[in-house]
Amino acid sequence: MRKVLALTFAFTCINLLAGYASTQNIKQEQIKVDSLKELNKVETDQFKLVDLSNEIAVTYGIISIDSSLVYSKKGIELAKNINYTHGLGVSHSYVARANAQIGEMKVALEHYDNALEIFLSEADSLNILDIYRGMSYVVSYSGNQLASLDYNRKALDIAEKLNDSLSLSIIYNNIATIYIGLDNYQPAIHYFEKTLEIEKKSQNPQDMAITYSNMGILKVKHKKFKEASADYHKITELLPKIKNNYTVAYLYISLAAYYTGINEFELPKQYLSKANEICIKNNYQHILARVYRQYGELFLKEKKYKKSIQYYDKGIELSETIGISEEFPRIYKMKAEAYAQLGEYSKAYKSLQKSNVALNSLESKKVATFLDEFEAQKAKEELNQQKLELALKEQQAENATIKINNRYHIAIITIVLLILLISIVTRFYLKSRQNNQKLRYQHKLINEQKVLLEENIQKLELSESTLQKLNATKDKFFSIIAHDLKSPFSAILGFNEELALNYSDYDDKERKMMIRVVGEAAKSTFSLLENLLTWSRSQSGFIEINKEVHSLKKLVEESISAYVGAAEIKNIHVNNSIADDINILADKETMKIVISNLFNNAVKFSNAGGEINLACKLNNGNVEVCTQDTGIGMSKQIMDGLFQIEKNVQREGTAEEQGTGLGLILCQEFVNKNNGEIWVKSEVGVGSELYFSLPLYTTN
């Protein structure tokens, strides 16, 4: 009965039944089954026959779920015939586990309830602990995360008292995944890390792989792909050591989701193909529904929209067949995106409506579940009360009969009443103790809710900070339009009107000077407008990042070509010492904007006859590119405000060139989008060094 049971959400895995023999191969388990069947044929003790049926059922867990169900149901029938309550509880628990694995969650919960009632009456802590873990998984699969959390907390209280490290690791894992469902990142990571601390001591590859998968999925969901990379590397190391098909299928789905998220599409297809084969062979219907869903996401990313829709529909059809609907809002929403990309906006709109209906339906189910649980508990309490009243009446009648028929038994009746009184006092004492335990639990729950409230306050403060930044962005935008964009037009229009009305009043030299001023103003205005448009597209999310392999030197030369003339006018010497054989993985268009802006700034703030050096160096798998000038440099105050749009750090260049400070804001955003960083070193009167890093591309 004491086997691994792990709760997980969205591409995570539960060791249900299949976990019974996760460290043994199927051949060994078959040998064990055959041996147990031979014993079953010759055994005459009915109680031992029940235990044998249960042992065969649990051994069959990794080989055949159907066979496991047959023997666990046989155990129920035998145990009922001989009134063997403990064996009956074990049989119910194994039937529940097998049904959960094939997606029959309602049937599984009914059998868990039957098993729990028996083990509670026996005060069997070990089996009560396992039942609570199983029930937490079943109710979570129907979307009732709060009920799942309650079962896990009950299990946690028992595991802590027993000092059961294996159960503690599983329960921590379960609680973490519930926090994922509640969209609470930090507590989830905290509990996963507690799980790993225990699992690393036992060195069980299956348990460790499940936890790494859970952490990886959570990080991918929050776009922390770099942090998730280490978790998925661990999974690929542990996979060959795992013999459990159920676990392996889920891990393949998890790996496919990660590589889809980082736009590497060949590996997801291989992993999903393997998961699909395992699910069909073993009849893992609810996992197969997730496989179809993940195929849909993969083809959506690859812009194969029709194929994506086909797999989403297959996932919906299978989920409806087995009665699982918690992923419908997400699936319909992604279908709508695919339809929109195909230009089928009517279907996209209908799909979005279905997403909203599915979301509302899930919320209604949660409410209905709470009401059903309340009514069921109420009915159970009323039934217990009726049984107690009936028992008391029967006892009173029996006592009266004994008193009438035999006065000599008064002493015995007195003793019976005394025992009954002691029982009532004992019952009240136990009830009071139970109430105290509930109060302690409620106090613990209130403290946890307090922590959640404090975290929500921190989120609100972060939202307020973000809003202030957005407001500063808006002010900056209007300031540029009102002043920086308007001023050059004043020069252009003024000189143009003067030339148009009084052309003959000026000599050729004056007219050329005025035309040059108009030209410079037009160039400045065009550059500003180009930055504004690029910034606007970036803020609106319309810029797509298409990472490809590029020669760093060629990319730099192409990016600065338009500004080399400006450097020559100021007699600035440009040195490009970047090696020819350095390749990077980046989006070409955004990085051209970054490099051209940094080079233009170097030209702008360099004195006539100065020098600009372009160089790079390798550092831990990245390339660090440096644009160094011998210009006027920057103070610490200016450097602190360079990449903050709410700070005003505009300065004129050494030839009175104008700027808005917007270029470096764009540089920072585009470097970050290409998985790099940007920073600056400078000293007033000495010059500046602007650095940015990008991932190095290697063929190894």
Side-chain angles (χ1 to χ4, degrees):
M1 180 64 184
R2 304 280 345 279
K3 307 296 176 183
V4 177
L5 182 64
L7 166 67
T8 51
F9 293 95
F11 305 118
T12 53
C13 172
I14 173 174
N15 293 337
L16 184 68
L17 276 179
Y20 295 159
S22 59
T23 60
Q24 303 178 38
N25 58 45
I26 294 174
K27 185 176 179 180
Q28 290 173 321
E29 292 303 295
Q30 186 62 57
I31 293 171
K32 185 178 179 182
V33 165
D34 294 339
S35 174
L36 290 170
K37 283 183 177 179
E38 292 299 318
L39 289 174
N40 193 59
K41 290 178 183 178
V42 299
E43 183 60 64
T44 57
D45 187 319
Q46 296 295 304
F47 288 85
K48 290 184 179 179
L49 279 173
V50 173
D51 294 336
L52 275 171
S53 294
N54 287 332
E55 192 171 357
I56 293 171
V58 77
T59 310
Y60 257 130
I62 193 172
I63 304 170
S64 169
I65 298 303
D66 291 338
S67 298
S68 179
L69 271 172
V70 169
Y71 278 91
S72 53
K73 286 180 179 178
K74 182 180 177 181
I76 289 176
E77 293 175 3
L78 289 172
K80 283 182 177 179
N81 290 336
I82 61 174
N83 198 26
Y84 180 21
T85 55
H86 182 79
L88 180 62
V90 174
S91 297
H92 275 304
S93 70
Y94 289 163
V95 172
R97 290 176 179 226
N99 276 290
Q101 190 165 355
I102 62 175
E104 295 290 340
M105 301 304 177
K106 185 176 180 181
V107 178
L109 192 58
E110 290 172 357
H111 283 281
Y112 272 134
D113 277 330
N114 292 332
L116 180 62
E117 185 176 356
I118 291 171
F119 294 138
L120 284 173
S121 68
E122 295 179 345
D124 187 341
S125 298
L126 294 178
N127 282 321
I128 293 170
L129 170 60
D130 283 337
I131 295 300
Y132 279 145
R133 293 209 310 262
M135 296 176 82
S136 73
Y137 167 72
V138 173
V139 297
S140 73
Y141 225 96
S142 62
N144 195 342
Q145 296 174 17
L146 294 177
S148 179
L149 185 62
D150 184 53
Y151 283 128
N152 274 295
R153 294 199 182 285
K154 290 178 179 178
L156 184 61
D157 287 341
I158 298 173
E160 287 176 343
K161 291 175 182 176
L162 297 174
N163 197 24
D164 185 345
S165 60
L166 173 61
S167 295
L168 284 172
S169 72
I170 295 169
I171 296 166
Y172 288 148
N173 194 65
N174 294 351
I175 294 173
T177 52
I178 293 171
Y179 276 119
I180 294 175
L182 297 172
D183 200 23
N184 209 327
Y185 177 87
Q186 209 56 49
I189 288 293
H190 170 71
Y191 278 103
F192 281 141
E193 289 173 347
K194 287 172 74 72
T195 303
L196 270 178
E197 287 177 8
I198 297 173
E199 290 172 347
K200 285 178 179 178
K201 294 177 182 177
S202 63
Q203 285 297 304
N204 185 312
Q206 176 172 281
D207 295 342
M208 292 169 67
I210 292 169
T211 305
Y212 279 122
S213 174
N214 292 343
M215 293 176 72
I217 290 166
L218 178 57
K219 291 171 184 176
V220 167
K221 180 182 178 183
H222 288 78
K223 308 298 181 186
K224 299 178 183 292
F225 294 107
K226 278 189 175 179
E227 295 178 21
S229 174
D231 298 322
Y232 284 100
H233 180 70
K234 287 286 186 182
I235 292 171
T236 54
E237 288 181 350
L238 294 167
L239 255 175
K241 304 175 184 178
I242 300 173
K243 307 300 181 183
N244 183 321
N245 286 332
Y246 196 86
T247 302
V248 169
Y250 261 109
L251 292 176
Y252 281 147
I253 298 172
S254 180
L255 285 162
Y258 166 69
Y259 284 107
T260 299
I262 62 173
N263 297 327
E264 292 186 16
F265 300 132
E266 287 307 313
L267 279 175
K269 291 175 183 176
Q270 297 173 24
Y271 288 131
L272 289 174
S273 175
K274 293 177 181 178
N276 186 73
E277 182 181 350
I278 292 172
C279 291
I280 292 173
K281 183 178 179 180
N282 295 277
N283 194 31
Y284 298 153
Q285 295 293 298
H286 58 298
I287 313 180
L288 186 59
R290 295 188 185 277
V291 172
Y292 291 151
R293 208 277 319 268
Q294 190 56 41
Y295 263 126
E297 289 194 18
L298 172 62
F299 290 127
L300 182 63
K301 273 263 191 171
E302 285 190 304
K303 301 182 179 179
K304 297 177 181 178
Y305 303 118
K306 290 184 179 179
K307 212 167 182 181
S308 173
I309 291 168
Q310 289 174 2
Y311 274 94
Y312 283 141
D313 286 339
K314 288 177 72 172
I316 290 169
E317 181 181 355
L318 180 56
S319 296
E320 287 176 339
T321 302
I322 60 179
I324 295 174
S325 60
E326 76 275 11
E327 292 187 356
F328 280 6
R330 175 179 171 84
I331 293 174
Y332 281 123
K333 187 175 180 181
M334 290 188 290
K335 269 187 69 179
E337 183 180 343
Y339 277 129
Q341 293 293 340
L342 290 170
E344 298 181 23
Y345 298 110
S346 175
K347 291 183 179 179
Y349 175 72
K350 289 179 181 178
S351 191
L352 279 176
Q353 284 182 317
K354 289 183 179 180
S355 175
N356 291 331
V357 169
L359 188 61
N360 291 334
S361 174
L362 284 177
E363 293 300 323
S364 299
K365 285 182 180 178
K366 289 179 183 177
V367 174
T369 301
F370 279 118
L371 291 175
D372 289 343
E373 289 175 356
F374 175 77
E375 293 299 330
Q377 183 65 27
K378 183 178 177 183
K380 187 180 289 186
E381 289 175 356
E382 289 176 352
L383 181 62
N384 290 336
Q385 183 65 29
Q386 290 173 1
K387 287 181 179 178
L388 180 61
E389 290 175 355
L390 181 61
L392 286 172
K393 287 179 180 179
E394 289 175 352
Q395 184 66 50
Q396 289 171 355
E398 184 179 348
N399 289 342
T401 302
I402 293 172
K403 185 176 180 181
I404 293 170
N405 293 336
N406 195 347
R407 297 284 182 179
Y408 296 105
H409 293 165
I410 292 176
I412 298 175
I413 294 171
T414 303
I415 294 171
V416 170
L417 291 174
L418 183 60
I419 293 172
L420 183 61
L421 180 61
I422 293 171
S423 299
I424 293 171
V425 171
T426 303
R427 185 168 181 269
F428 275 109
Y429 168 76
L430 293 175
K431 188 71 175 178
S432 175
R433 185 178 177 184
Q434 185 179 12
N435 289 335
N436 288 335
Q437 290 175 341
K438 286 182 178 179
L439 286 172
R440 285 195 294 270
Y441 167 75
Q442 290 171 351
H443 179 70
K444 183 179 179 182
L445 192 60
I446 289 170
N447 286 336
E448 291 176 349
Q449 290 172 343
K450 179 184 175 184
V451 172
L452 289 175
L453 181 60
E454 290 172 351
E455 290 175 351
N456 287 333
I457 291 172
Q458 291 177 355
K459 288 181 180 178
L460 286 173
E461 291 174 350
L462 179 61
S463 297
E464 181 181 1
S465 174
T466 303
L467 186 60
Q468 289 174 350
K469 187 172 182 180
L470 288 173
N471 195 44
T473 302
K474 177 203 69 177
D475 293 340
K476 181 72 172 181
F477 189 86
F478 286 131
S479 170
I480 292 170
I481 293 174
H483 181 267
D484 299 279
L485 194 57
K486 181 179 177 183
S487 297
F489 276 112
S490 298
I492 293 169
L493 294 173
F495 280 111
N496 184 67
E497 184 178 3
E498 183 67 21
L499 283 170
L501 296 177
N502 304 304
Y503 184 83
S504 58
D505 293 345
Y506 298 95
D507 58 27
D508 284 343
K509 184 177 180 181
E510 290 172 329
R511 286 194 288 265
K512 286 181 180 178
M513 180 274 292
M514 294 171 75
I515 292 170
R516 181 178 61 78
V517 172
V518 169
E520 292 297 326
K523 286 180 182 178
S524 173
T525 305
F526 178 81
S527 175
L528 174 58
L529 185 58
E530 189 174 41
N531 270 348
L532 276 173
L533 291 174
T534 303
W535 183 39
S536 176
R537 288 174 61 217
S538 170
Q539 297 301 304
S540 303
F542 291 137
I543 292 180
E544 293 185 359
I545 302 299
N546 182 24
K547 295 180 183 177
E548 296 177 332
V549 179
H550 300 284
S551 165
L552 178 59
K553 185 166 187 176
K554 289 182 180 179
L555 181 60
V556 169
E557 288 174 348
E558 185 178 346
S559 302
I560 68 173
S561 61
Y563 301 92
V564 171
E568 290 174 353
I569 291 172
K570 295 178 75 171
N571 196 24
I572 296 171
H573 183 64
V574 178
N575 297 315
N576 184 356
S577 60
I578 296 173
D580 293 325
D581 60 346
I582 295 179
N583 294 321
I584 58 169
L585 183 64
D587 175 69
K588 181 177 182 181
E589 296 306 317
T590 54
M591 288 314 301
K592 281 176 66 178
I593 292 172
V594 172
I595 296 167
S596 62
N597 264 289
L598 296 180
F599 183 80
N600 187 33
N601 276 354
V603 173
K604 185 188 300 182
F605 297 109
S606 289
N607 296 306
E611 185 173 315
I612 297 175
N613 296 307
L614 301 170
C616 72
K617 67 176 182 178
L618 305 183
N619 185 9
N620 293 329
N622 290 323
V623 182
E624 293 182 357
V625 183
C626 175
T627 303
Q628 179 193 32
D629 63 67
T630 56
I632 60 176
M634 289 177 276
S635 65
K636 186 177 185 305
Q637 182 180 3
I638 292 175
M639 285 192 289
D640 289 343
L642 277 182
F643 302 109
Q644 301 181 43
I645 196 166
E646 64 271 21
K647 299 289 181 67
N648 184 8
V649 293
Q650 292 175 242
R651 295 190 299 165
E652 286 187 348
T654 56
E656 299 182 350
E657 299 98 324
Q658 298 298 313
T660 64
L662 191 59
L664 287 178
I665 302 299
L666 281 172
C667 289
Q668 182 189 45
E669 183 163 348
F670 289 158
V671 168
N672 290 341
K673 285 181 182 291
N674 283 278
N675 296 334
E677 295 178 355
I678 187 168
W679 65 97
V680 63
K681 296 180 182 178
S682 184
E683 186 175 345
V684 175
V686 176
S688 301
E689 297 176 7
L690 278 100
Y691 294 84
F692 67 90
S693 64
L694 289 173
L696 175 67
Y697 177 80
T698 60
T699 56
N700 295 334

